[in-house]
Amino acid sequence: MGDPVAEYSSRLQQQEQEIHSLTAEIESLKNPQSLGLSSHLDGLREENAKLKYRLNILKRSLQEERSQCSKTMMNINQRLQEIFGEAIREAWPDLENPPLAVTPNQQAKFGDYQCNSAMAMAQMMKSKGLKVNPREIAEKIQQNIPDNELIEKTEIAGPGFINVHLKRSFVSKLLTNLLLNGVQPPPLESKKKVVVDFSSPNIAKEMHVGHLRSTIIGDSMCRLFEFLGYDVLRLNHVGDWGTQFGMLIAHLQDKFPNYLTVSPPIGDLQAFYKESKKRFDEEEDFKKRAYQCVVKLQSKDPAFIKGWNLICDVSRNEFQKVYNCLDIQIIERGESFYQEKMIAVVKEFEAKGLVEMDEGRKIVFAPGQQIPLTVVKSDGGYTYDTSDLAALRQRLFDEKADIIIYVTDSGQGTHFQVVFAAAQMIGWYDPKVTRVEHAGFGVVLGEDKKKFKTRSGDTVRLMDLLDEGLKRSMDKLKEKDRDKVLSTEELTKAQHSVAFGCIKYADLSHNRINDYVFSFDKMLDDRGNTAAYLLYAFTRIRSIARLANIDEVALRKAAETTDVLLQHDKEWKLGKCLIRFPEILQKILDDLLLHTLCDYLYELATTFTEFYDSCYCIEKDRQTGEVVKVNMWRMLLCDATAAIMAKGFDILGINPVSRM
């Protein structure tokens, strides 16, 4: 069901435009024939008055509901955009699609948010031959701001900025709502189906540092969509099909001839792959047999399917070790899943006359793209292009996805651009309705700013990297003497939390589009914007209530009975920072750049430190050290900060521990 206020507002706007048009027409005609128009105009005015009456009732009802605060968190920026959007429409009803810009104010002395639409509106009017001073536009917008639940006052500054001051009482209510109901996402207009394609290692090859970014970024995107209430399908598009399996099965037959009855002890699949590749390159007979094995595999010969499954299972077990360390949930759906579907895809493109022949290959040119897709090779085999088209079609038509995200390195950007263009050309989806996007990322660099490799020049194995992270995090904890105060179990939990949390955060805190330098020293540093700093800060915040002997029951009762006062400047700054969480998530939903959440969590942690240094939460006797006074509203601010940080960590896939 649509928003009734938006529907009525839209109808009202149409009515008013029609009235304006008819009035102008009557003025221009000035003859008896205009009587019919006048009668129609009276009817429109009467209907318009009724609509306005019903709209005002709806608005009052909606405002009352908002002032009560629902269980979900409000996106303040979005709400301000609604308010200013209405004011702009009221002030300038004839301006089509006026620009709407509302942002948090960078300087607290000028207010909390700022509407910057007036300057852009002045430019728009100027292009239509209407010269209006931006400040005059801002004044007119200000005069038409409707009654609302959250704005205390507005001020016009400079050439036409409208500074917005929020009501402290309303922010206090939002924080109480957060404390009573937990961190709840804003309501969804509709529950959409989201498919995220990420990680995607190749069978028979070990996961390396290049798979790290796709796995971490993709998992975090899934966690965000899941928290916001979307139906998410996490897919692992593994490379589990192709000519390389011919040489692997041929080598399996030679090395473990009884593999059909006795499970072969393939300990090191990477070495097994290298051995088979060496034979393929050097032994002509082996090469011929490898090609014959491919044919047998593609014809679904049971013995060859079993060999293929054995190799896949060894790989899956190795992949799962990485996924267990990083707490990744993912469903495997490799290239083999789409084999039969590729035939239908090629036929569909051929039936619509979209396939061209090129030196024995079947190719498809998509509009606006310089490079064609090769859907069938000259030897009759299929390609990555065919498999990606088949996968996209299956996700659109069988999964009925509304949003499809591909998380791979930026080098594949052009490939996906062509695939998406071909899918739109054939009519599989409309980009205005369905969001299909490639979320590309840069490469992982070593501290020498070159592609991350081992000292011998090999690609870094992901499990080796994770093991090194565990060793380094334990060294860091012992350096801080945590082994002397934590139990063995607590120390191990802290070790895993710091190691894997730091690896994830180091990746996610950088703009994914850029390359980033992998450095254990930097990521384990507990100063600056790192997971180590945030995890220690979170543990300290959680310990404040414990040191004051205040349990969760007492905090819950306080949230029900105590107003969250925001009188001190640092209380107000922290309160405003906390309620920005939903708009941060909305921004990430729009651009899929997760470093915004990392920057926000760091800002929240440093804002909390300012608050805690300036505002006493607990007052102790200087002689005995006993707690003599607890400022409960400030304890509630501590609790709200911990709740938001915990949810932020959860979206990033980081598991904080209670003691560190």
Side-chain angles (χ1 to χ4, degrees), residues 111 134 167 200 218 233 273 317 437 460 473 505 521 524 536 647:
K167 288 180 182 174
S200 309
L233 178 61
Y273 180 89
N317 292 336
E437 191 170 334
V460 179
S473 66
Y505 193 87
D521 289 340
L524 289 166
Y536 286 124
K647 181 48 69 179

Side-chain angles (χ1 to χ4, degrees), residues 544 548 550 608 611-620 627 629-638:
I544 295 166
I550 300 169
F608 179 85
F611 152 79
Y612 193 68
D613 289 346
S614 303
C615 306
Y616 291 118
C617 298
I618 304 162
E619 296 180 37
K620 295 181 179 180
V627 174
K629 185 183 178 185
V630 175
N631 295 317
M632 194 53 87
W633 79 93
R634 289 176 177 163
M635 294 303 300
L636 292 175
L637 277 169
C638 296

Side-chain angles (χ1 to χ4, degrees), residues 34 87 92 114 121 207 217 219 241 263-264 278 316 322 324 366 418 460 572 597 660:
S34 68
W92 306 93
Q114 193 174 73
M121 285 171 68
M207 289 180 77
I217 294 167
D219 175 59
W241 202 254
S263 185
K278 188 171 187 293
R316 285 187 192 108
V322 172
N324 289 344
V418 182
V460 179
W572 179 231
L597 177 55
M660 189 176 287

Side-chain angles (χ1 to χ4, degrees), residues 213 217 221 406-411 413 437-442 511-514 592-593:
R213 298 209 76 184
I217 294 167
M221 284 180 187
Y406 291 81
V407 187
T408 74
D409 65 272
S410 296
E437 191 170 334
H438 175 236
F441 53 81
N511 186 324
R512 64 171 164 78
I513 295 163
N514 302 331
L592 302 176
L593 295 172

Side-chain angles (χ1 to χ4, degrees), residues 228-280:
L228 294 172
Y230 291 85
D231 177 13
V232 180
L233 178 61
R234 300 155 159 258
L235 288 183
N236 199 359
H237 190 81
V238 297
D240 65 351
W241 202 254
T243 53
Q244 76 271 26
F245 282 94
M247 68 181 192
L248 288 165
I249 292 170
H251 191 52
L252 181 72
Q253 290 171 335
D254 292 348
K255 198 161 185 180
F256 304 103
N258 60 346
Y259 75 89
L260 289 171
T261 52
V262 180
S263 185
I266 304 174
D268 189 342
L269 195 58
Q270 188 80 354
F272 187 84
Y273 180 89
K274 284 179 179 176
E275 287 168 15
S276 65
K277 183 74 170 73
K278 188 171 187 293
R279 291 185 68 191
F280 184 83

Side-chain angles (χ1 to χ4, degrees), residues 29-267:
L29 291 171
K30 296 288 185 186
N31 62 44
Q33 289 177 350
S34 68
L35 291 174
L37 286 171
S38 181
S39 163
H40 181 45
L41 183 62
D42 288 341
L44 277 172
R45 280 190 171 133
E46 188 178 338
E47 190 183 342
N48 194 34
K50 288 177 185 174
L51 277 171
K52 275 188 174 173
Y53 175 73
R54 292 170 73 184
L55 181 64
N56 285 333
I57 289 172
L58 269 169
K59 280 180 180 173
R60 275 200 299 275
S61 167
L62 194 63
Q63 194 168 317
E64 282 171 19
E65 194 179 311
R66 278 180 171 138
S67 66
Q68 295 297 317
C69 289
S70 68
K71 288 186 177 181
T72 59
M73 290 187 76
M74 178 188 282
N75 183 330
I76 296 287
N77 194 301
Q78 210 167 56
R79 178 70 188 114
L80 287 171
Q81 286 188 41
E82 289 170 12
I83 290 166
F84 278 97
E86 192 178 328
I88 289 167
R89 282 192 299 275
E90 199 69 34
W92 306 93
D94 298 331
L95 199 62
E96 281 186 35
N97 300 319
L100 184 58
V102 178
T103 57
N105 218 324
Q106 297 305 308
Q107 296 187 59
K109 63 181 179 181
F110 295 129
D112 308 312
Y113 283 81
Q114 193 174 73
C115 175
N116 303 328
S117 298
M119 284 72 74
M121 285 171 68
Q123 287 296 320
M124 182 184 269
M125 291 175 184
K126 188 178 178 183
S127 69
K128 294 181 179 181
L130 189 64
K131 194 172 181 184
V132 187
N133 187 301
R135 197 173 174 94
E136 188 185 321
I137 294 171
E139 285 167 359
K140 202 167 177 184
I141 293 170
Q142 187 185 39
Q143 288 159 13
N144 283 280
I145 292 172
D147 289 340
N148 62 81
E149 72 283 14
L150 72 160
I151 296 177
E152 180 72 45
K153 64 175 181 176
T154 57
E155 297 164 335
I156 296 171
F161 301 112
I162 304 174
N163 289 326
V164 179
H165 297 259
L166 299 177
K167 288 180 182 174
R168 296 196 181 206
S169 59
F170 186 73
V171 173
S172 175
K173 282 180 186 175
L174 290 178
L175 292 170
T176 297
N177 171 55
L178 160 65
L179 290 159
L180 293 175
N181 299 300
V183 184
Q184 301 294 334
L188 270 183
E189 285 180 20
S190 60
K191 188 169 183 174
K192 292 182 176 178
K193 177 76 175 275
V194 181
V195 173
V196 184
D197 177 328
F198 69 105
S199 193
S200 309
N202 289 311
I203 294 290
K205 292 183 180 178
E206 294 208 59
M207 289 180 77
H208 56 77
V209 74
H211 295 113
L212 182 69
R213 298 209 76 184
S214 178
T215 304
I216 290 171
I217 294 167
D219 175 59
S220 188
M221 284 180 187
C222 290
R223 288 169 179 269
L224 173 65
F225 280 114
E226 285 159 355
F227 171 64
L228 294 172
Y230 291 85
D231 177 13
V232 180
L233 178 61
R234 300 155 159 258
L235 288 183
N236 199 359
H237 190 81
V238 297
D240 65 351
W241 202 254
T243 53
Q244 76 271 26
F245 282 94
M247 68 181 192
L248 288 165
I249 292 170
H251 191 52
L252 181 72
Q253 290 171 335
D254 292 348
K255 198 161 185 180
F256 304 103
N258 60 346
Y259 75 89
L260 289 171
T261 52
V262 180
S263 185
I266 304 174

Side-chain angles (χ1 to χ4, degrees), residues 1-7:
M1 186 178 169
D3 180 357
V5 173
E7 286 174 18

Side-chain angles (χ1 to χ4, degrees), residues 450-468:
K450 293 177 182 175
K451 210 165 181 181
F452 197 31
K453 302 264 186 190
T454 62
R455 286 182 183 176
S456 60
D458 293 330
T459 305
V460 179
R461 291 173 69 246
L462 201 39
M463 272 313 298
D464 290 346
L465 194 75
L466 298 177
D467 288 342
E468 176 72 10

